[in-house]
Amino acid sequence: MKLEPIVTSLLDTDLYKFNMNQVIFHKHTNLNGVYHFKCRNEEVVFTKEMLDEINEQIDYLCKLTFKEDELNYLRSIRFIKNDYVEFLRLWHPIRDYVTTSLDNGTLKLIVSGPLFSAMQFEIYLLEIINEVYFRFQYDYNELLASAKERLAKKIEFFNTGKYTFKWAEFGCRRRLSKEFEGYALKELKDKTKNMVGTSNVYYAYKYNLTPIGTYAHEYVQMFQGIDSIPLAYTNYYAMKDWYTEYEGDNGTALTDTVTTDLFLKDFNRSMVNNYSGVRHDSGDPYVWGEKMLAHYRKFGVDPKTKTLLFSDSLNFDKAQEIYEYFKDKCRVSFGIGTFVTNDTKVDALNIVIKLQYVNGRPVAKISDAPTKSMCDDEKYFEYLQDAVKFRLEREK
C-alpha cells in the first residue's frame, strides 16, 4: 500500500450495521446478498493507481478481527446481545466476497456472499474508496486545512447561538479521511454542547460518545427476497422482526424504502406505540414531517412524545430551519454526515453501495426522491412500483 491502512478497526463502521446484522444473525441466516457500488457524481475518474490501492486496502481490511476490548464495548451497548458478540469473535471480512474492476475510469465493485457477512462490507469499502480518491486526486494537506478551517467556523456558530438544535454525526461513509473524522468529532465534543453522538462505533468508543443508529434501507429491501412475503408488505415484516428482536428498544423506523405513503399503511397503532420515532431520508422534509404528525394524531398519540429524525443531505443552516419549524410540535433530531466530515474546497463524492439481489432475486428502493432510487433490474423495478401502486389504490 502507498497509504497507511485506512480501516484499522472493525468498529470503524456505522452502528446500524451491527443492529441490522444482529437481526439477520438471529432470524435470516439463509439469505445471500449482492451489493453494487455507484458513484453518482458525473465526470469522476478512478485510475489504475487508485484501483490498486483500493484493492490493497481491502486486502488489509480482510485480515482484521475484533479485539477483546472492542467486543466488550459492543457488549456494553444495551441492545447488542451476547450470542451475537460471540459470533463476531469468530467473524472477519472475507476477501473472496469482493470483486473490483475499472471500466473507462468508472469503478466497478460488487460484494456477494451470505447476507450477514456481505452487508458488513459497505461502510468499510466506502471509507476506503473515498479516502483513496481524495488522497490520490488532490493535495490532501490542502483539503485537510480547508476542512479544519470550515469546521472552526461551524463551531463558532454553535457557540454564538446561531445553531440551537441537537444532532448526531453520521459521516463516516463519505469522510475525507479517518484522520479528519476523528479530529472533527473531538473538536465538536470538546467545543460545543449540541452533538449528542455519532454513528461511528469506533469513535464512539474512543471518545466516549453515544453510538447512534437503527436500520437502513437494505434491511427493508432484504424482505423482498423472501418468497413468502408479498412485496407491498415488506415494511410490516421488517418492523415486526425489528420489534421482536429489540422489544421497543432501538426504535426509530425508516419510512422511505418503498415510499412513505406505503410505510404508513403498516405503521399501525401497534407500530406507532412500539417505535419511539421515525427517520426522514428523502423528499421534502416539511411535507414528510407534517404527514408524520398527522399520522400520530390519527391514532391519538401526542406527537410531542415522538421523535422526527432528519438525515437527508443536511447542512447546519437547513437543520436549524427544520428545527425552528418543528421544535414546538414534536421531538426533533438530526443525523448530519458529509457536511461535517468532508466539507472542503472541492466537492465531496456521492458514493453508495446498495443491496441489489437477495437469494438471486432483485430488490429495490423506491425513494420519496426519484433520484435516490437504485435497481439493477428495470423490469423488477417496474413490477415493484406496480405492487406499491396497487396496494395504495386498494387501501385508499
Side-chain angles (χ1 to χ4, degrees), residues 18-37:
F18 296 116
N19 299 343
M20 294 185 290
N21 201 236
Q22 179 170 273
V23 178
I24 295 170
F25 171 70
H26 285 143
K27 302 177 187 295
H28 298 291
T29 53
N30 61 326
L31 299 181
N32 286 281
V34 178
Y35 290 77
H36 290 184
F37 168 83

Side-chain angles (χ1 to χ4, degrees), residues 147-160:
K148 288 183 175 181
E149 180 181 350
R150 294 180 184 210
L151 178 66
K153 291 179 180 178
K154 293 165 188 170
I155 290 172
E156 181 181 346
F157 283 137
F158 276 110
N159 291 329
T160 57

Side-chain angles (χ1 to χ4, degrees), residues 34-46:
V34 178
Y35 290 77
H36 290 184
F37 168 83
K38 182 177 182 180
C39 178
R40 292 169 174 160
N41 307 69
E42 295 182 1
E43 299 180 358
V44 167
V45 175
F46 285 86

Side-chain angles (χ1 to χ4, degrees), residues 246-281:
Y246 294 108
E247 298 180 320
D249 205 346
N250 198 20
T252 301
L254 179 61
T255 71
D256 69 332
T257 305
V258 279
T259 76
T260 294
D261 288 339
L262 187 68
F263 168 85
L264 292 178
K265 296 295 182 184
D266 293 316
F267 201 48
N268 55 30
R269 184 181 299 276
S270 174
M271 295 299 183
V272 162
N273 289 323
N274 289 343
Y275 283 79
S276 58
V278 287
R279 178 161 75 93
H280 171 266
D281 199 52

Side-chain angles (χ1 to χ4, degrees), residues 60-204:
Y60 183 89
L61 165 71
C62 292
K63 295 175 183 176
L64 296 176
T65 57
F66 284 98
K67 300 178 179 68
E68 188 66 29
D69 62 318
E70 295 171 336
L71 295 170
N72 288 335
Y73 177 72
L74 290 172
R75 284 192 188 91
S76 75
I77 300 172
R78 66 178 182 272
F79 45 78
I80 300 296
K81 299 175 181 177
N82 189 63
D83 64 337
Y84 175 60
V85 176
E86 287 302 308
F87 160 71
L88 291 179
R89 183 192 296 277
L90 303 174
W91 180 84
H92 69 90
I94 296 174
R95 185 65 175 89
D96 290 346
Y97 293 167
V98 185
T99 59
T100 63
S101 62
L102 277 182
D103 181 9
N104 293 322
T106 298
L107 176 62
K108 304 288 186 179
L109 183 147
I110 296 174
V111 182
S112 179
L115 189 59
F116 65 79
S117 191
M119 73 171 305
Q120 295 288 54
F121 275 96
E122 177 198 5
I123 306 303
Y124 304 132
L125 294 179
L126 291 175
E127 290 170 340
I128 288 169
I129 292 166
N130 212 67
E131 185 161 348
V132 167
Y133 177 82
F134 282 103
R135 284 186 180 271
F136 278 64
Q137 184 68 16
Y138 300 101
D139 183 321
Y140 170 74
N141 289 327
E142 288 186 8
L143 296 187
L144 182 62
S146 69
K148 288 183 175 181
E149 180 181 350
R150 294 180 184 210
L151 178 66
K153 291 179 180 178
K154 293 165 188 170
I155 290 172
E156 181 181 346
F157 283 137
F158 276 110
N159 291 329
T160 57
K162 178 179 179 180
Y163 302 132
T164 57
F165 59 89
K166 300 293 185 182
W167 65 285
E169 182 266 338
F170 280 14
C172 60
R173 68 186 55 225
R174 297 180 188 134
R175 65 193 184 190
L176 173 64
S177 64
K178 177 178 66 176
E179 173 189 19
F180 181 67
E181 184 182 18
Y183 172 85
L185 282 167
K186 191 167 190 312
E187 287 287 291
L188 288 159
K189 178 191 176 186
D190 292 346
K191 297 180 180 179
T192 76
K193 297 180 180 179
N194 300 69
M195 189 177 70
V196 297
T198 175
S199 66
N200 188 312
V201 184
Y202 172 75
Y203 283 116

Side-chain angles (χ1 to χ4, degrees), residues 34-36 354-358 361-363 374-377:
V34 178
Y35 290 77
H36 290 184
K354 294 295 186 183
L355 182 63
Q356 295 292 289
Y357 296 92
V358 172
R361 294 176 54 172
V363 299
M374 182 174 170
C375 183
D376 193 52
D377 187 315

